[in-house]
Amino acid sequence: MSEAESIRTTTGTPPATAVVFDLGGVFIDWDPRHLYRKIFANERDMERFLEQVCTPTWHAQLDRGVPFSIASQALLTANPGLAGPIRAYHDRFPEMWGPVSRQMVALLHRLNDAGHPTYAATNWPAEYWDGAMATFAFLATFRGILVSGLIGVAKPSRDFFNTLSTTFPITPSQTVFIDDRAENVRAATDAGYRSHRYVGMNALESYLQDNGLEVNGEI
């Protein structure tokens, strides 16, 4: 898939008045493999664990605010021999955080310096959010952050986007929404946002400029 094919946009006028960013996959390289490569001796066993035990579907309930102590009960009962790796999902969650994109943080600072209101909207388990705030200093520079685990609903639910527009002083038709996942971009578009799928810095800068958000200078 080419970069152009990976982008779905809804461009409109007048210029956008706010920007909402996803975090994982845009600013932060979140991936359970960062942790589980330390736990499993080979990639095959690790991938089997992530495909059959601590799966993305299972993780989604954490994003909706279900505590790990509850979400893990069925897994521990069904997989007693994997109790250690399962509990590591909770005990060592910060080890799933990879590097932060310096380019994206620089872009965020330039948007803030130019007076463009910036917000974040993330699928993130509630019980690990305080740790994220303590780890990633750039999070404090957003005017507000909507965290799925704290409100009990996650992207791509329409309720998430409705909550976003009622929690912060933004108008969807005048707000650029940036996410790396196609289903979230489609949902944002359906909710009336000017939506862009993040696939690279050059395309993102162009999209911001097309929407009247100038970020001149080296990013």
Side-chain angles (χ1 to χ4, degrees), residues 24-166:
V26 178
F27 284 90
I28 302 165
D29 177 21
W30 181 85
D31 191 333
R33 291 166 183 81
H34 294 316
L35 166 62
Y36 284 103
R37 286 195 176 98
K38 305 173 187 177
I39 294 175
F40 288 97
N42 60 69
E43 293 276 320
R44 182 183 61 185
D45 291 343
M46 177 190 71
E47 293 296 342
R48 182 183 299 116
F49 176 82
L50 295 175
E51 290 172 3
Q52 300 179 7
V53 184
C54 289
T55 67
T57 300
W58 172 82
H59 174 93
Q61 63 188 310
L62 303 181
D63 283 341
R64 295 191 298 270
V66 177
F68 177 84
S69 60
I70 295 174
S72 63
Q73 289 176 0
L75 295 187
L76 291 168
T77 298
N79 305 277
L82 292 171
I86 292 170
R87 291 196 174 98
Y89 206 97
H90 172 75
D91 297 339
R92 300 171 63 179
F93 192 85
E95 293 180 56
M96 301 183 195
W97 300 336
V100 173
S101 169
R102 294 180 181 178
Q103 285 189 314
M104 284 301 303
V105 172
L107 175 61
L108 174 64
H109 290 328
R110 295 193 69 84
L111 285 167
N112 289 336
D113 290 344
H116 302 307
T118 60
Y119 301 88
T122 182
N123 283 354
W124 203 290
E127 55 197 320
Y128 313 121
W129 181 245
D130 285 346
M133 288 294 298
T135 301
F136 304 114
F138 76 90
L139 294 177
T141 68
F142 289 107
R143 295 197 182 187
I145 303 177
L146 190 67
V147 180
S148 66
L150 297 178
I151 64 172
V153 62
K155 296 176 288 185
S157 169
R158 181 62 174 266
D159 288 341
F160 182 94
F161 292 96
N162 290 342
T163 302
L164 178 62
S165 62
T166 56

